[in-house]
Amino acid sequence: VMGWGILLSTCVCVYLMVQRFSRMLKELRISIRYTCGVILPAFMVTTLSVQQLPWLLILQFAFTAFLNLLVFSWFDAANDTADGATSFATVVGQKKTLWFVWLLFGSVCFITLFIQQRESILLNIVAVIQVLLPVFRNYVEANDRYRIIGDAAFTLPVLLFLS
């Protein structure tokens, strides 16, 4: 556990040091690190081998995290442009970002066809919340509600432990 934690911490520290100089899209890197940070503790306590891990479910989670960050990028595009920051939305534009959000959403839903587990269905609900944020832009943009709602959606899997 300690070794994997140190590796993940090192990756995060390196990311924080080079993020200002990197022109690569931050949303993808962050979603991968977030997924690793969530999966790593579970992997350390499981008896499953790497080959036995639910890779489709992990991929679905990573897509959902990436979807969340792209929605945030879409909302933050004007501020990022004003600040000179690079994001997915500033590089490809808001229209294409929204198109990619829907593509990722479709991918998350498509994966559920192969998994058909309650964890996967919960991730679909999280993804639905993410894609609805731009639909209700006028409401969720005030006071950065989109961030609160978008991040809070990731607490829904806690329901698995309550059932």
Side-chain angles (χ1 to χ4, degrees):
V1 174
M2 188 65 116
W4 287 105
I6 291 171
L7 177 64
L8 184 60
S9 296
T10 302
C11 290
V12 170
C13 287
V14 169
Y15 165 75
L16 291 174
M17 288 187 290
V18 300
Q19 72 174 344
R20 283 291 208 194
F21 308 106
S22 177
R23 302 299 290 177
M24 292 174 44
L25 300 177
K26 63 183 177 188
E27 293 85 0
L28 181 60
R29 291 188 317 238
I30 293 170
S31 65
I32 291 169
R33 283 187 183 82
Y34 179 72
T35 301
C36 290
V38 170
I39 300 304
L40 186 61
F43 177 66
M44 292 295 110
V45 297
T46 186
T47 58
L48 298 175
S49 69
V50 172
Q51 295 82 12
Q52 295 172 312
L53 289 175
W55 286 109
L56 272 179
L57 188 62
I58 293 168
L59 180 65
Q60 187 181 33
F61 182 83
F63 281 179
T64 306
F66 189 34
L67 172 66
N68 168 265
L69 292 168
L70 288 182
V71 169
F72 287 4
S73 174
W74 182 81
F75 276 103
D76 291 337
N79 291 336
D80 286 346
T81 301
D83 295 340
T86 303
S87 70
F88 192 92
T90 61
V91 172
V92 303
Q94 283 187 288
K95 187 175 182 178
K96 287 182 183 173
T97 300
L98 212 46
W99 179 86
F100 202 78
V101 161
W102 284 100
L103 179 69
L104 270 174
F105 174 69
S107 299
V108 169
C109 294
F110 184 72
I111 290 172
T112 301
L113 297 174
F114 298 97
I115 299 177
Q116 297 179 358
Q117 295 174 343
R118 62 186 182 166
E119 295 87 356
S120 180
I121 293 167
L122 269 175
L123 283 175
N124 272 305
I125 294 169
V126 173
V128 166
I129 292 168
Q130 304 305 321
V131 297
L132 286 177
L133 292 172
V135 173
F136 296 101
R137 181 179 193 167
N138 292 334
Y139 175 74
V140 299
E141 214 165 27
N143 299 318
D144 288 342
R145 287 184 187 123
Y146 67 91
R147 287 195 179 275
I148 296 166
I149 296 168
D151 286 342
F154 281 91
T155 63
L156 287 175
V158 169
L159 296 174
L160 292 174
F161 297 108
L162 301 176
S163 61

